[in-house]
Amino acid sequence: MSHTITVSVSKRATQGSTLVVFASKASGKKSVATPKLSKDLAALLSQAESDEIFSGSKKESLFFRAHPTDGFDHVLFVGLGESKSVNGDALKTGAATALTKLRAEKITHFEVLGSSLTLGQKDSAEAVQAFAEGLYLSVYEYSELKSKPKDDKKKNKELHATIGFDQAPSAAIKKALERAEIISECQNFARRLGDSPGNYMTPTILANEAIKAAKGTKLKVTVWDKARIKKERFGGLSMVAQGSAQDPRFIIMEYKGAPSSKKHVAFVGKGLTFDCGGISIKPSSSMEEMKYDMCGGANVIATMVAIAKLGLKINVTGYVPSTENMTGPAAAKPGDVYIARNGKSVEVFNTDAEGRLILSDALVYASEKKPAAIFDIATLTGAILMALGNHYTGVFTRDQKLMKDIQGAADAACELVWGMPLDDFHVEDMKGTHADLCNISGNRLAGSSTAAAFLEQFVDEDIPWAHFDIAGTGWNTNNRFPYHPKKCATGIMVRTFIELAQKI
Ligand code: BES
Ligand code: ZN
Ligand code: ZN
């Protein structure tokens, strides 16, 4: 886990290479809003404004090369958008915009005017955290499988950012930076797991990555092999794994940050390391994207590591059922029936609806431990893409209080969630003909809701539960957010889950 950027906070430097100044658009007016600037900076900005080359809009930047100002060789202005809507997302977007420009200008060392980041935000520690996360998240790339450039000049340069304040930074600001580093390092770890191709990210490798990442933390990791999975009556996970040459794994990560309390929260993530659909095989177009079918599992693993590294005073357990879905000679056939850990029988009419099978046993197991809440996360249905596209993660729960907590956590983390319907109609659609349940609905409509209704059959009724479908948001096909690099896993909901675990 390494960054190609180091970020620090300190008292403002009086000289250096590049000074980065953030500016927003004053609400209702056309003028640019900044904190109090030096005479030189203010003059530069006001000239840019009257020349109509800078207005403070989101994703806007203006670079002055070799224009000595306030002791710095160069100056970069970056827009944050409307002052009143400067939030964590705007600050992260600002970080990404600044980095794009600085990299193009071959700048490796820069100083950010700290007071310019806190515009529109009362709590500057929060702003520093959001901005620093934006820097760390923006430099992520998955390049480990590319041959190393021989030419030294082409090698990735380490970037150095300092956020400078008028006074020595407070303990709260220093802590915020530490938090940002842990959280984004873990989110980038989730992305790396997701971006790794199927042959480099088998269930065994995924489990080993969880063990490795937990080293030096208070996490206890337990990994079940194929025999144990069968012995524990995980009929769904065993059936999906039948078609693959790779053995399945069930990963359990336990964190006890509040040992005197019995209360704990459970996260369950789909760790399908490659989904070709099984016998109900998928079309070959875009099938390579199905290496991302373990993003839910990766994001749970990363959430657990982050919670442990942050040392949160809560108890949390992560569960990741992991397998490939392939067409080997022993693969499940359409119509086959399995018995899940809770004794319910399921006929598998479509072997491509496998995520719900491996999650069924994991949800039963998680329920047995009586957590205060269960959250599962999965690249579960193509239908969620039709409903919500690439921006919003679909959330399914019947528990309105829980939905409130989820929305609050997502807002705090600046991630987008949308509540989706789940009711008895959807459950009705999942009844089996010759078994208790069928793994696909009788009609093709509301596919994400019927999938959620299926999962619900494996959660203890008394336990608050929500299902997160990240099939549209788990990886970036659209470059929606500039701090999610193009074509990479996003690590979505890691930040929301860290917040959420603390709300239960
Ligand atoms: N992993 C897929 C869901 C998926 C599809 C994720 C596209 C991201 C992009 C899942 O296992 C699947 O294939 N689901 C089927 C279910 C159907 C057969 C009821 C689907 O959504 O088509
Ligand atoms: Zn599938
Ligand atoms: Zn799948």
Side-chain angles (χ1 to χ4, degrees):
M1 288 188 218
S2 67
H3 297 307
T4 53
I5 189 164
T6 58
V7 186
S8 56
V9 285
S10 72
K11 195 165 170 353
R12 272 187 72 175
T14 48
Q15 57 174 37
S17 157
T18 304
L19 181 64
V20 181
V21 179
F22 287 89
S24 59
K25 266 173 117 82
S27 310
K29 296 181 221 138
K30 276 201 165 154
S31 59
V32 175
T34 57
K36 208 167 170 320
L37 297 178
S38 70
K39 238 170 98 190
D40 287 356
L41 274 175
L44 203 56
L45 186 61
S46 113
Q47 187 62 49
E49 197 183 346
S50 54
D51 290 347
E52 297 186 0
I53 52 173
F54 186 77
S55 68
S57 303
K58 226 175 180 179
K59 298 191 189 170
E60 190 185 22
S61 66
L62 181 63
F63 186 67
F64 291 92
R65 174 169 280 279
H67 195 298
T69 314
D70 285 16
F72 288 83
D73 302 336
H74 325 287
V75 177
L76 174 66
F77 288 110
V78 179
L80 291 172
E82 287 265 333
S83 308
K84 62 175 187 310
S85 50
V86 172
N87 58 8
D89 176 67
L91 291 164
K92 285 187 177 66
T93 301
T97 308
L99 281 181
T100 305
K101 191 69 194 165
L102 292 164
R103 283 176 143 176
E105 295 288 345
K106 306 272 184 260
I107 305 282
T108 53
H109 290 68
F110 58 97
E111 165 112 356
V112 176
L113 186 65
S115 56
S116 73
L117 279 180
T118 59
L119 282 182
Q121 293 231 340
K122 277 173 245 111
D123 187 344
S124 58
E126 251 178 41
V128 167
Q129 183 179 334
F131 175 72
E133 283 174 4
L135 292 177
Y136 289 127
L137 293 174
S138 300
V139 296
Y140 170 83
E141 57 180 23
Y142 184 74
S143 55
E144 43 195 84
L145 298 176
K146 289 195 173 153
S147 53
K148 304 276 171 288
K150 288 200 185 76
D151 182 354
D152 211 44
K153 279 190 197 134
K154 287 202 182 114
K155 279 195 183 146
N156 247 334
K157 291 240 164 57
E158 178 89 21
L159 299 166
H160 298 271
T162 309
I163 307 173
F165 292 94
D166 294 337
Q167 324 80 7
S170 64
I173 284 185
K174 287 186 189 152
K175 268 252 156 295
L177 182 62
E178 266 175 47
R179 268 200 308 276
E181 189 174 0
I182 292 172
I183 294 169
S184 31
E185 184 178 294
C186 290
Q187 191 172 337
N188 283 342
F189 167 56
R191 289 166 161 187
R192 181 171 67 75
L193 298 179
D195 285 334
S196 302
N199 60 328
Y200 283 82
M201 193 45 62
T202 61
T204 309
I205 299 175
L206 184 64
N208 288 340
E209 286 282 354
I211 293 168
K212 215 162 75 189
K215 286 241 160 74
T217 73
K218 281 190 184 161
L219 282 167
K220 180 180 161 209
V221 185
T222 312
V223 178
W224 293 358
D225 64 5
K226 187 176 172 179
R228 178 76 190 269
I229 288 166
K230 202 159 174 219
K231 194 166 155 241
E232 297 283 351
R233 295 173 284 107
F234 275 39
L237 179 55
S238 298
M239 183 181 255
V240 177
Q242 272 169 221
S244 167
Q246 294 291 336
D247 276 2
R249 290 287 182 267
F250 184 57
I251 307 163
I252 306 167
M253 300 176 88
E254 290 167 273
Y255 173 71
K256 290 199 167 69
S260 56
S261 161
K262 277 217 158 82
K263 183 174 161 189
H264 73 284
V265 174
F267 291 104
V268 180
K270 173 178 173 182
L272 214 297
T273 57
F274 189 78
D275 180 14
C276 82
I279 297 298
S280 316
I281 197 162
K282 288 180 182 295
S284 52
S285 153
S286 298
M287 199 202 269
E288 74 284 353
E289 290 189 5
M290 284 300 115
K291 71 173 182 178
Y292 287 119
D293 214 17
M294 36 57 72
C295 282
N299 299 0
V300 165
I301 293 170
T303 299
M304 294 305 301
V305 176
I307 287 173
K309 288 194 170 172
L310 290 166
L312 300 184
K313 295 193 171 23
I314 50 176
N315 302 321
V316 190
T317 313
Y319 303 95
V320 179
S322 182
T323 176
E324 288 182 340
N325 186 25
M326 300 296 282
T327 57
K333 306 166 290 295
D336 283 0
V337 171
Y338 82 91
I339 313 292
R341 184 175 163 92
N342 63 349
K344 288 192 181 170
S345 58
V346 180
E347 51 196 9
V348 176
F349 276 13
N350 189 319
T351 64
D352 197 12
E354 85 300 334
R356 57 197 80 183
L357 271 50
I358 71 169
L359 288 169
S360 66
D361 299 312
L363 288 169
V364 172
Y365 187 74
S367 295
E368 288 166 11
K369 308 286 171 198
K370 301 279 174 221
I374 301 179
F375 302 104
D376 78 71
I377 174 165
T379 46
L380 202 65
T381 63
I384 200 73
L385 275 143
M386 301 301 128
L388 297 181
N390 293 121
H391 292 79
Y392 283 82
T393 293
V395 180
F396 301 77
T397 181
R398 300 202 201 209
D399 187 326
Q400 288 320 304
K401 150 95 179 52
L402 198 63
M403 190 63 216
K404 254 189 150 166
D405 288 340
I406 292 166
Q407 189 64 61
D411 289 347
C414 269
E415 294 189 310
L416 301 175
V417 294
W418 199 262
M420 297 287 291
L422 165 58
D423 70 33
D424 294 347
F425 295 122
H426 303 120
V427 177
E428 203 54 44
D429 282 347
M430 301 310 285
K431 294 260 149 75
T433 310
H434 300 299
D436 300 336
L437 294 162
C438 181
N439 80 328
I440 56 166
S441 157
N443 68 58
R444 293 173 53 246
L445 306 176
S448 303
S449 292
T450 51
F454 180 89
L455 295 180
E456 190 186 38
Q457 306 315 303
F458 301 93
V459 181
D460 191 321
E461 279 183 351
D462 300 329
I463 303 174
W465 159 78
H467 155 62
F468 291 67
D469 195 334
I470 57 162
T473 54
W475 69 95
N476 198 358
T477 48
N478 223 355
N479 206 20
R480 317 171 293 282
F481 302 105
Y483 46 91
H484 287 312
K486 279 183 194 149
K487 295 189 180 171
C488 84
T490 54
I492 205 79
M493 295 298 126
V494 168
R495 297 199 311 271
T496 297
F497 279 4
I498 295 167
E499 295 285 337
L500 189 53
Q502 300 172 77
K503 279 184 184 285
I504 303 304

